[in-house]
Amino acid sequence: MCHSSHDDLEIKTKIRMSGIKGLQGVVRKTVNDELQANIWDPQHMDKIVPSLLFNLQHVEEAESRSPSPLQAPEKEKENPAELAERCLRELLGRAAFGNIKNAIKPVLIHLDNHCLWEPKVFAIRCFKIIMYSIQPQHSHLVIQQLLSHLDANSRSAATVRAGIVEVLSEAAVIAATGSVGPTVLEMFNTLLRQLRLSIDYALTGSYDGALSLGTKIIKEHEERMFQEAVIKTIGSFASTLPTYQRSEVILFIMSKVPLPSLHHPVETGRTGENRNRLTQIMLLKSLLQVSTGFQCNNMTSALPSNFLDRLLSTALMEDAEIRLFVLEILISFIDRHGNRHKFSTISTLSDISVLKLKVDKCSRQDTVFMKKHSQQLYRHIYLSCKEETNIQKHYEALYGLLALISIELANEEVVVDLIRLVLAVQDVAQVNEENLPAYNRCALYALGAAYLNLISQLTTVPAFCQHIHEVIETRKKEAPYMLPEDVFVERPRLSQNLDGVVIEFLFRQSKISEVLGGSGYNSDRLCLPYIPQLTDEDRLSKRKSIGETISLQVEVESRNSPEKEERVPAEEITYETLKKAIVDSVAVEEQERERRRQVVEKFQKAPFEEIAAHCGARASLLQSKLNQIFEITIRPPPSPSGTITAAYGQPQNHSIPVYEMKFPDLCVY
């Protein structure tokens, strides 16, 4: 009766209404009847649920053939679609934990059989009814059913998979308001797996990896549409999660990004490289979706070391698109007060108060985070500025990152280091050891001008602001190609002759150190030129030689040490010991930097005679040490017959031929 197709519309409607009312009576009867135990069996659900969905499916047809608006209120009660919806809601509302799967499976089969995933409007409507009708604690069962169905349709058309993902997105957002439980990582794992499969399908052109006569040809644009749907679903679902679960998801996604390492090299060859690149881009897109709007008061929790290390290792890849995603992800995490859009355009505003920035004092936890990771961040920003493939979006992202660090994570030490960093970037454009194109050099000059203009107004030191303002005004008159207003436009106005830049166009480190030093900033640190900190990645190529040298040194020392030397007892490791080791290592690094600065300054400013005398003294000292070593290692072997006394009373070793040696009588050959 529910599937009646009578020619007369009114009779057909009455028959269908009668069928639905019959089903409604059966559903209501299950509350206090022995039939309750059997109605949830698949053989009954496979008939009841499709009958209700069939009437829901034809709601548009019924509405289009409905009589005039005046008669509509009376006819509304006789609408099979509305009655079917009420009956379906009653059925799902009475479903217990063990019966949900039997009620959901017929829905999935009905959508498959009638090809209702591709328009996806009806499918979304069905699952909204389902999610709002069942008990909240059962919602994760529906999500699991959809995930399993997505896996079962891994080789279906991209439009079908995209429809399932869209439905999953809508259902997951509703489920997140209730109890999601362990389904969170399962959902993200399934979506990321489908993302990787889609990338393989797009690259190979088939579901089997090899084309044959019976193979269904895959359309790349449809796979791209499916990938975007997956990324959108990841972002929309993650936005509903609490902070702790969102952090787990972020770490989970980052762990899936393929990165080259010593133990797990990425795939080589053209196909492997394309797969790695596409996977990296898609996962970073997903990560960007998850990180958007992420609010975490503690930066150490938002960017833990294992996550930050992996993320920054992708920041130096040759692929410009990947580098841009990394910068955007960092910005999303650091921006906790919604200031990002205020730095979308690089400019040298004379008064930044028009931006209405939200600035809070740097917390103690953020200070600890910057003490631990600041040099790592500065290094990657510095090296990112030197990339030849940078375009305007990269410089806008770098400017936004510098600005947000200054607002969200800055104390006096961070401000000093950021100024040193930007002055080092200015030196990169001036010296041009990297042979950068004219656009990149002008962009670096403009980036430095915009940032120093911002930080000078944030620090509110009048002399500092005056120096920055003077340089900017000089550039406006004589070198506008060094300002963002002329560089970061649709048609940048550049200068090809950047080798003879006069000092009036440059921000001077000595001047900035002088004016900030008078306001209580660390002028000694400001005088130090910024040098990127070496990391383990830089030392990978040197580890072997260093290891060999250490082992050789230990071997020599062990040979020269006394045989019966007392062992020093091992020092007990305590919290105070570790704390002291960390503090000492920082002090040693500072001393080493100061020593290097003094050496560089000495060779730059000292007279030639003094440098020559110093080098000569060192050469003499080295020669004397070598003579001592040669004297020890190249002396003749001791004589078995004793020693003789040479001139000046010094004992001298004397060797005797073997045939002249006197051996004891008991010696047997």
Side-chain angles (χ1 to χ4, degrees), residues 100-114:
I100 292 291
K101 291 184 178 179
N102 291 342
I104 301 302
K105 190 174 180 181
V107 178
L108 299 172
I109 294 173
H110 181 83
L111 296 174
D112 285 342
N113 293 339
H114 294 271

Side-chain angles (χ1 to χ4, degrees), residues 179-193:
S179 173
V180 182
T183 317
V184 174
L185 288 183
E186 179 189 351
M187 176 176 174
F188 285 102
N189 193 30
T190 301
L191 291 174
L192 295 180
R193 182 170 62 248

Side-chain angles (χ1 to χ4, degrees), residues 26-143:
V26 171
V27 171
R28 290 176 177 176
K29 191 173 174 15
T30 59
V31 178
N32 297 313
D33 197 275
E34 295 179 358
L35 190 62
Q36 180 181 2
N38 298 324
I39 196 171
W40 299 105
D41 289 348
Q43 57 182 345
H44 302 305
M45 286 290 104
D46 291 347
K47 297 181 179 66
I48 295 173
V49 173
S51 300
L52 298 175
L53 293 178
F54 177 77
N55 285 277
L56 270 174
Q57 184 182 341
H58 292 82
V59 61
E60 294 86 2
E61 179 185 350
E63 288 177 354
S64 63
R65 296 184 183 180
S66 62
S68 64
L70 294 175
Q71 300 175 356
E74 297 179 2
K75 295 288 182 180
E76 207 172 56
K77 297 178 182 178
E78 300 177 0
N79 188 347
E82 289 196 0
L83 186 60
E85 182 178 336
R86 287 201 300 272
C87 184
L88 182 62
R89 288 182 184 276
E90 287 184 34
L91 176 68
L92 294 169
R94 287 175 163 81
F97 183 85
N99 302 326
I100 292 291
K101 291 184 178 179
N102 291 342
I104 301 302
K105 190 174 180 181
V107 178
L108 299 172
I109 294 173
H110 181 83
L111 296 174
D112 285 342
N113 293 339
H114 294 271
C115 302
L116 296 172
W117 292 111
E118 294 183 31
K120 73 192 172 189
V121 176
F122 177 72
I124 290 175
R125 183 177 175 227
C126 283
F127 274 90
K128 279 187 174 181
I129 292 172
I130 292 169
M131 297 304 294
Y132 284 118
S133 301
I134 62 173
Q135 299 177 36
Q137 62 267 29
H138 299 161
S139 56
H140 68 280
L141 295 175
V142 180
I143 302 297

Side-chain angles (χ1 to χ4, degrees), residues 258-277:
L259 296 175
S261 66
L262 291 176
H263 305 291
H264 303 285
V266 296
E267 295 177 85
T268 57
R270 181 167 182 81
T271 304
E273 289 172 0
N274 289 338
R275 182 180 288 108
N276 290 326
R277 179 183 178 276

Side-chain angles (χ1 to χ4, degrees), residues 629-642:
I629 294 171
F630 291 150
E631 198 173 16
I632 293 171
T633 56
I634 314 180
R635 63 188 176 187
S639 170
S641 60

Side-chain angles (χ1 to χ4, degrees), residues 316-446:
L316 301 179
M317 288 187 173
E318 294 181 3
D319 193 289
E321 189 176 3
I322 291 176
R323 294 201 310 273
L324 185 59
F325 276 124
V326 174
L327 291 173
E328 293 290 348
I329 290 167
L330 282 172
I331 287 170
S332 294
F333 280 111
I334 295 174
D335 181 26
R336 293 171 292 183
H337 293 87
N339 291 314
R340 170 66 183 99
H341 66 281
K342 299 172 184 176
F343 302 110
S344 57
T345 303
I346 308 178
S347 62
T348 52
L349 290 172
S350 57
D351 183 10
I352 63 168
S353 62
V354 298
L355 296 176
K356 297 181 181 179
L357 300 174
K358 298 177 182 178
V359 183
D360 281 343
K361 186 178 179 181
C362 184
S363 65
R364 182 176 174 275
Q365 293 89 343
D366 290 345
T367 302
V368 172
F369 172 81
M370 289 304 289
K371 279 188 176 295
K372 185 176 181 182
H373 297 293
S374 60
Q375 296 302 322
Q376 194 179 8
L377 283 170
Y378 303 153
R379 174 179 181 269
H380 284 80
I381 291 173
Y382 177 79
L383 296 177
S384 295
C385 289
K386 297 168 68 174
E387 292 289 343
E388 187 177 346
T389 53
N390 285 344
I391 58 175
Q392 181 175 334
K393 288 185 178 180
H394 291 86
Y395 296 112
E396 289 172 350
L398 287 166
Y399 174 65
L401 183 57
L402 287 167
L404 290 169
I405 292 175
S406 305
I407 292 173
E408 299 279 354
L409 306 171
N411 52 26
E412 183 180 315
E413 183 180 348
V414 172
V415 169
V416 169
D417 283 342
L418 287 172
I419 293 172
R420 290 171 57 219
L421 171 63
V422 173
L423 291 174
V425 170
Q426 178 182 256
D427 291 340
V428 169
Q430 183 184 6
V431 179
N432 197 25
E433 291 180 352
E434 308 292 329
N435 293 321
L436 296 174
Y439 174 77
N440 297 66
R441 296 178 69 183
C442 291
L444 292 181
Y445 281 127

